[in-house]
Protein backbone atom coordinates (compact mmCIF):
# COMPACT_ATOMS: atom_id res chain seq x y z
CA UNK A 1 0.00 0.00 0.00
CA UNK A 2 1.10 3.52 -0.81
CA UNK A 3 0.86 4.82 2.76
CA UNK A 4 3.15 2.10 4.10
CA UNK A 5 5.70 2.82 1.38
CA UNK A 6 5.84 6.46 2.52
CA UNK A 7 6.82 5.46 6.06
CA UNK A 8 10.43 5.09 4.97
CA UNK A 9 10.49 8.85 4.44
CA UNK A 10 9.75 9.61 8.11
CA UNK A 11 12.71 11.80 9.13
CA UNK A 12 12.43 11.25 12.89
CA UNK A 13 13.66 8.60 15.26
CA UNK A 14 10.84 6.08 15.62
CA UNK A 15 10.07 3.58 18.35
CA UNK A 16 7.38 0.95 17.90
CA UNK A 17 5.84 -0.20 21.18
CA UNK A 18 3.72 -3.33 21.20
CA UNK A 19 2.14 -5.10 24.13
CA UNK A 20 2.53 -8.87 24.21
CA UNK A 21 -1.13 -9.14 25.25
CA UNK A 22 -2.52 -6.72 22.66
CA UNK A 23 -5.86 -8.22 21.67
CA UNK A 24 -6.63 -5.53 19.07
CA UNK A 25 -3.53 -5.43 16.86
CA UNK A 26 -1.84 -8.75 16.16
CA UNK A 27 1.95 -8.92 16.35
CA UNK A 28 2.02 -9.38 12.56
CA UNK A 29 1.00 -5.71 12.24
CA UNK A 30 4.04 -4.41 14.09
CA UNK A 31 6.29 -6.67 12.02
CA UNK A 32 4.70 -5.19 8.87
CA UNK A 33 5.40 -1.66 10.10
CA UNK A 34 8.96 -2.68 10.91
CA UNK A 35 9.49 -3.77 7.30
CA UNK A 36 8.67 -0.23 6.16
CA UNK A 37 10.51 1.46 9.05
CA UNK A 38 13.74 -0.56 9.12
CA UNK A 39 15.50 2.00 11.34
CA UNK A 40 12.73 1.94 13.93
CA UNK A 41 13.37 0.40 17.31
CA UNK A 42 10.83 -2.29 18.24
CA UNK A 43 10.13 -2.57 21.95
CA UNK A 44 7.88 -5.28 23.27
CA UNK A 45 5.96 -4.50 26.44
CA UNK A 46 5.71 -7.80 28.35
CA UNK A 47 2.14 -8.26 29.54
CA UNK A 48 1.08 -4.97 27.95
CA UNK A 49 -2.21 -4.67 26.14
CA UNK A 50 -3.28 -2.11 23.54
CA UNK A 51 -4.30 0.98 25.43
CA UNK A 52 -2.33 3.72 27.18
CA UNK A 53 -4.67 3.29 30.15
CA UNK A 54 -2.81 0.01 30.73
CA UNK A 55 -0.14 0.87 33.35
CA UNK A 56 2.48 -1.22 31.53
CA UNK A 57 1.88 0.55 28.22
CA UNK A 58 1.74 3.95 29.92
CA UNK A 59 5.08 3.29 31.63
CA UNK A 60 6.65 2.23 28.32
CA UNK A 61 5.27 5.31 26.55
CA UNK A 62 6.49 7.62 29.32
CA UNK A 63 9.97 6.06 29.37
CA UNK A 64 10.24 6.16 25.57
CA UNK A 65 9.18 9.80 25.34
CA UNK A 66 11.64 10.78 28.09
CA UNK A 67 14.45 8.91 26.34
CA UNK A 68 13.67 10.42 22.96
CA UNK A 69 13.35 13.96 24.32
CA UNK A 70 16.66 13.62 26.17
CA UNK A 71 18.37 12.55 22.94
CA UNK A 72 17.46 15.75 21.09
Amino acid sequence: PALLAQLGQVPVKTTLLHGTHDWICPAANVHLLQRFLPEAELRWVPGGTHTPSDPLILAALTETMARLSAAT
Side-chain angles (χ1 to χ4, degrees):
L3 182 59
L4 287 175
Q6 292 177 27
L7 287 177
Q9 300 170 17
V10 172
V12 296
K13 188 170 178 83
T14 304
T15 300
L16 303 170
L17 295 174
H18 199 281
T20 59
H21 292 152
D22 188 334
W23 68 93
I24 296 173
C25 293
N29 289 3
V30 77
H31 291 297
L32 177 64
L33 285 173
Q34 198 174 32
R35 281 192 8 229
F36 290 93
L37 289 165
E39 300 300 317
E41 173 191 9
L42 173 57
R43 291 194 52 221
W44 292 99
V45 181
T49 59
H50 182 80
T51 174
S53 64
D54 173 341
L56 296 170
I57 296 294
L58 181 58
L61 286 168
T62 302
E63 185 277 327
T64 298
M65 294 306 294
R67 185 173 42 83
L68 290 173
S69 66
T72 56

